[in-house]
Amino acid sequence: MENKITGVKELALEEKKVLLRVDFNVPFDEKGRVSDDTRIKMALPTINYLLEKRCRIILASHLGRPQGKIVEKLRLASIKKPLEELLGQSVALAPDSVGSETENLVKKMKGGEILLLENLRFHPEEEKNEKEFSKSLARLAESYVNDAFGTSHRAHSSTVGITGYLPSAAGFLLEKEVAILSKLLEKPERPFLFILGGAKVSDKAGVVKNLLARIDMVILGGALAYTFIKAKNWDVGNSQVEYDKLDLVKTILEDARKKRIEFHTPLDHTIATKIAADSKYLTTERGAIPAGWIGVDIGPKAIEEYKGCISRAKTVFWNGPMGVFEIEPFARGTMEIAHALGSASAYSVVGGGDSLAAVKKAGVAEKIGHLSTGGGASLEFLEGKVLPGIAALQKK
Ligand code: AMP
């Protein structure tokens, strides 16, 4: 798909007013300060490129889930200072994302200036991809660039509707995400290992099914592993199982067997009596989780086996933690996988907030080939779905 979308360098942008859709949906600490500015940093190459072209840059983003209403805590004002520090220049704030006041501010802009619009999702029309709202956004600018990969799986006014009214292109981050994820689907270096963890089979079955035609090994962890283990008729005690997904999981296992894919479920587990830091916990073999106990992490044998798979792989895609990694005693599996990826020779791609957090906590983020900024978007892309925000940038 990557050759088919228009890139930012293909638009004539000198001195133009450009609406740049970014993903500044960052996390905050208890004091209301940005606790992880990765998403802001990732947008800098495109912003700097537009600055070189002396563009008037109108930045548009959503933040959180205000559900179409003004929520004071979710104002984009909180992004202004960290953005200014990263850019080394001042950024003006607009009172709204559309409307006459904002339009007047844009009119006064000079080349090389930046205006940050208010949270797009304060307007319910944004998520409905409503025509008039799309037009109002488009009225602010002469060209449109989308660098918000994390929102590209949603057809909203600022990702899809607006492209109907302005010359449109993908920013560098979006182009890079599409190029890297396309390579995973089209020509990954083999063996290709998929590390899959997290909460639910239902969220990730689509991506497993699509990747089965491309991968050589799968290693499973997280809560979703117990549905697979149950499908193989091993005891899982009180671990989280999606009983309505047992048939689906059986078809996945059967397909993997036919395709001769190495499909690993954990050899052992850390089990606990409750998902809490003060719970009793111990290690047990696969198939031997007693009633009243819950699998909360992969065990030491599984960790060793999985490290072996990582060292044999040439390409790795990781999505989802191996256990309840928010609780220290149950974080070992996830952290060991992060460390193993950090020292592996394979080209690795990590997607999903929790896996990214683990990689950063392990201090190996620099050693990962690509940290995907869109958890949901990267999964849908690897499912083989056409993402509306990307389709909208396709060359006619
Ligand atoms: P996901 O968003 O699908 O990647 O799921 C991440 C969540 O799965 C995290 O909040 C983990 O705490 C949770 N999780 C991982 N392993 C388990 C487990 N064995 N039991 C319950 N929850 C889990």
Side-chain angles (χ1 to χ4, degrees), residues 149-332:
F149 175 71
T151 330
S152 61
H153 57 318
R154 306 274 179 244
H156 294 168
S157 281
S158 69
T159 58
V160 173
I162 189 169
T163 64
Y165 308 103
L166 291 176
S168 303
F172 296 124
L173 173 62
L174 196 134
E175 277 191 295
K176 184 175 166 196
E177 292 272 9
V178 171
I180 287 171
L181 296 174
S182 299
K183 186 158 181 243
L184 289 192
L185 287 181
E186 285 155 19
K187 39 181 183 311
E189 254 202 275
R190 319 274 295 244
F192 181 4
L193 166 67
F194 181 23
I195 308 175
L196 179 63
K200 283 188 174 166
V201 172
S202 37
D203 292 342
K204 301 187 184 172
V207 74
V208 184
K209 279 197 209 154
N210 197 40
L211 285 183
L212 281 183
R214 294 153 173 94
I215 49 179
D216 305 286
M217 297 181 268
V218 182
I219 58 184
L220 287 185
L224 58 80
Y226 298 98
T227 304
F228 283 86
I229 295 171
K230 184 77 191 171
K232 292 187 168 207
N233 288 321
W234 283 309
D235 279 337
V236 295
N238 285 44
S239 306
Q240 198 175 298
V241 170
E242 287 165 85
Y243 285 92
D244 60 334
K245 294 290 175 294
L246 283 174
D247 286 341
L248 170 68
V249 155
K250 283 179 190 163
T251 62
I252 291 173
L253 287 168
E254 180 56 17
D255 194 19
R257 194 186 61 77
K258 282 191 196 140
K259 293 193 164 84
R260 298 176 188 275
I261 293 167
E262 278 184 44
F263 204 103
H264 299 272
T265 50
L267 287 170
D268 58 354
H269 315 277
T270 296
I271 57 172
T273 47
K274 56 182 178 176
I275 298 183
D278 62 351
S279 170
K280 276 197 291 199
Y281 62 94
L282 47 92
T283 301
T284 186
E285 299 291 307
R286 179 170 60 198
I289 305 181
W293 290 76
I294 308 162
V296 288
D297 194 9
I298 58 174
K301 285 185 192 160
I303 292 173
E304 282 316 305
E305 190 191 33
Y306 287 3
K307 279 186 183 168
C309 294
I310 292 170
S311 69
R312 280 187 285 132
K314 289 229 164 63
T315 306
V316 181
F317 174 63
W318 180 21
N319 180 288
M322 296 288 102
V324 187
F325 81 117
E326 297 92 337
I327 298 174
E328 183 59 30
F330 314 149
R332 184 171 160 212

Side-chain angles (χ1 to χ4, degrees), residues 128-143:
K128 293 184 191 141
N129 194 18
E130 205 258 343
K131 201 171 163 185
E132 287 310 313
F133 187 71
S134 306
K135 279 190 188 169
S136 303
L137 283 174
R139 235 189 339 264
L140 297 173
E142 295 159 295
S143 292

Side-chain angles (χ1 to χ4, degrees), residues 4 21 27 63 105 146 150 198 203 253 291 307 311 322 353 361:
K4 296 188 215 136
R21 174 57 159 109
L63 177 62
L105 283 177
N146 187 0
D203 292 342
L253 287 168
K307 279 186 183 168
S311 69
M322 296 288 102
K361 198 167 161 206

